[in-house]
Amino acid sequence: MPSDPARSKFRGGPVPAAPAAGAGPRPSAGPSGVSTGAADLARARQQLLAAGTRLDAPALRDVLVDLFEVWLHTKGAELGIKPDSGFAIVAVGGLGRREMLPYSDLDLILLHDDANPKMLSHIADSLWYPLWDAHIKLDHSVRTVRQALDVAAGDMTAALGMLEARHIVGDSELSAQLLSGVRQGWRDSIRDRFTELVQQAEQRWERNGEIAHRSEPDLKNGRGGLRDIQLLNALAVAQLTDPAPGFRSDGNSGRLQAAHRRLLDIRTQQHRVAGRARDQLRAQDADEVAAALHIGDRFDLARTLSDCARTISFSVEVGVRTARNALPRGILGSLRKLPARRPLDEGVVEQGGEVVLARDARPQRDPALVVRAAAAAAVSGLPMSAGTLGKLADTAPELKAPWPREAVHDLLVLLGSGRQLIPVVEALDRTGLWGRILPEWGAVRDLPPRDAIHTWTVDRHLVETVAYAVALSTRVSRPDLLLLGALLHDIGKGRGGDHSVVGAELAVQIGRRMGLSAEDTETLSDVVRHHLLLPHTATRRDIENPDVVHDVVARLGGSRVLLELLHALAEADSHATGPGVWGEWKATLIAELVSRCELVMAGEDLPQQDPVPAELLPHLKPGAGGEIPVRVRLVPADGHHMYELTISGPDKPGLLAKAAGLLSLHSLRVHAASVSGVEGAVLNVFMVSPRFGSPPDPGFLRQELVRAISGSIDVIRMLDERQDLAVRVLADELAADPAASGVTVPGSTVLGTLPAAVPIQYPDAPPIVRWLPGSREDEGILEVRSADRLGLLCRVALALEGAGADITWAKVATMGAYVDDVFCVRFARGAGNEGRARADAAVRMVLPKPAPPKPPTPGVGEN
């Protein structure tokens, strides 16, 4: 509303006319034309805002509310606006919410019960003119209850304002009719208005950006601002969610209310400093605002704002999702069955488009459940439900050192999910769960950057770096250390000293707690310590100088693995810093430096076959008939739910492929595998963990493997059916026709009834296939780096065998969402390059293709 509105018009009401005889006197004015009462009101407000006032921000708002209410009560009594008068003054906006800021508009509705136009004109004229003349910003309307309800029914902004309306003076019954009518109308129409409500919020976020990551944020309209609190209140009035969604756990109760109050305090002080109504916090005012609120300096203020805004944003995301699921569905919708519960992982299921805990899950006895549930949410692209987050926050203990191996695996799966990682980590962090996984995170949480080139807070920058590193994971031999290094490379910030040195020490602490090997922990620490080495050297020194190159090689200890990790991290870190930080010039310089370092390091150790452990040699002995039988042994290994599965048999094509396929069909995750051939026999040693429950009986596995080798079971067909089933069930759910919790696959004698699964969304890293020379002329060593998928080892092995390549030995490593598999294959005599080309093409055909990149969209789903 303009500060000097045209006095001849009243929005939604009659045009004020000159008072007729008997209509009462025109409001008195002093020599300056300002009503004495309104002048006192303006003067009192200025005295409250004068420099040196001792009122803090909350007290100032309370006093301003009292000041305006007293004036309205006095003026209302003067004009005859009393109980049973047929008139009422209703406040909306800041006064309605009891959040009156120093220079907020005064938003009022003059309600009347079909009053005489002349009397109405006189009362409205007498109420508005003094406020205008006192230069108090006024947004006003004159309406009957019916007119106000009609406006609320047709105007979303007006409806949201009236939901927070409050009776001030006059006929309380009249006000009650409006307040109850607006709320009831809002509940009745929310099914039809919900989409418009969310779209309006998304458009506002797109216009004003995220408060947490803006140097001059809009505290009212930005994402995570005060308008989002009003959005949550509107959803709560519609009885679709509670007023603080996402923070119902004991440890987090009150976080949303605290963030709301803090944001109000900052905006209140911004009004004071600016001397006017301003929604945007200007950089030049930040230090003064921070000092007045005893927060510290502008960096401390930015950190406080980030915490508040991200807390509110998370609550809005949960609230909108909860509200969408709770929308009235009509008569036919109410007859639909409850959503099916589909297993995602041990103790984790999908229900109604959210990740929830299984009914038999016991978080207090399963510390790794937090990481497992987060990984399931990330790879499925589904959000964790508020109830699940709350229950985990209240009951899940911290992981004890060293972590079980499967917990590290699940963390790597979470990190390897690309941009789907971001909302999951945000949800865990806002509910206190991420800090249990990484206690060191507290120092960088909401920490603002110290230079303008950075787009994100330090903690969000780390997560963004991981998301960018995912696309580079297949370029390195250790994608697990790349993702961990990306997550931790700036973990030393906010603690004083050189953050690379401090972070390297923390990386050792974290690596040991996770149970990484001493060698991997040292490499992770070196990644953090030297993460700026390549970009700083390439852009600040003469890389054509051999001494410079030798210095880099010496600092890396001659490690090619460390060099390739730092090269990938430099690119991901630059992309995550901000637009334009990674360009052709920088990329070319770093690539040239890396190339020169590789020449100095020279040579590459080729993979070698693992020796057969002596205790497993008896498994390779022939049976009574002279044939080598298929044998299966399953024994517990170190770690929770980890097993060593040994499968031996005659050295014939298909054993590795079909064994690996059966493991996938029985929900056994392969973390590592070694295949060795010895004198006509082959030994497959798998490190596995069951995705659900306990592993199958080894005798049953042997029986099914024999059938698979004989051709009685088509493993590939069953893997395809499992994948198609997941897609089909998900489509049924989206079509509002929930499938049964179990679906029988025709012709399947191995699995019987398969649980309906949610399709996994593959990361965006392109697969890499490279060939190395073998020890013989007819051999080749194939290395495959790829995102993992259902039955990938089975498919690759069958592709090689189908192309005429005999697998003599293999090493398999699964690192989170990625695999690095090495196969030594032998070709038919004389096949040469032609056989290698056929095998290469066959393998590439079965590798998962990365999804096309999707730009992040503003709105509910990503913070």
Side-chain angles (χ1 to χ4, degrees), residues 335-373:
L335 299 177
R336 293 196 343 226
K337 299 178 182 178
L338 291 175
R341 294 171 66 89
R342 296 193 290 271
L344 298 174
D345 210 325
E346 179 69 23
V348 185
V349 301
E350 179 271 335
Q351 182 178 24
E354 293 182 321
V355 174
V356 302
L357 297 182
R359 293 187 179 94
D360 58 351
R362 298 292 182 269
Q364 61 273 21
R365 300 179 183 175
D366 188 357
L369 183 57
V370 174
V371 189
R372 193 158 65 248

Side-chain angles (χ1 to χ4, degrees), residues 149-228:
L149 293 177
D150 289 344
V151 170
D155 186 326
M156 179 70 73
T157 302
L160 292 174
M162 289 188 213
L163 287 175
E164 298 175 324
R166 184 167 60 89
H167 173 76
I168 299 296
V169 66
D171 193 334
S172 59
E173 289 297 324
L174 204 60
S175 297
Q177 291 177 32
L178 172 65
L179 302 185
S180 62
V182 167
R183 284 164 170 74
Q184 188 60 51
W186 180 251
R187 296 187 189 105
D188 293 342
S189 64
I190 189 60
R191 181 184 178 191
D192 299 323
R193 306 184 78 172
F194 181 80
T195 299
E196 180 189 356
L197 176 68
V198 174
Q199 288 177 346
Q200 188 182 82
E202 290 174 342
Q203 291 166 2
R204 172 169 52 80
W205 296 334
E206 187 172 9
R207 287 193 306 269
N208 300 286
E210 296 185 57
I211 291 176
H213 307 292
R214 283 288 179 100
S215 58
E216 293 190 332
D218 187 322
L219 304 182
K220 182 178 181 181
N221 300 297
R223 179 158 193 175
L226 296 171
R227 287 287 190 209
D228 287 343

Side-chain angles (χ1 to χ4, degrees), residues 612 616-621 628-633 645-651 655 659 676 680-686 702 705-706 709:
V612 177
L616 296 180
L617 287 175
H619 288 259
L620 304 179
K621 292 182 178 180
I628 299 175
V630 174
R631 295 186 174 100
V632 176
R633 185 188 74 153
L645 176 65
T646 303
I647 298 176
S648 59
D651 189 4
L655 181 62
S676 305
V682 64
L683 180 70
N684 302 295
V685 180
F686 300 90
R702 179 189 176 281
L705 180 57
V706 170
I709 293 173

Side-chain angles (χ1 to χ4, degrees), residues 67 115 311 320 324 358 497 585 588 599 612 643 668 679 805 823 857:
L67 180 65
T311 296
V320 170
R324 182 178 283 113
W585 172 75
T588 302
L599 288 175
V612 177
Y643 296 85
L668 288 172
E679 298 179 358
F823 303 87
T857 56

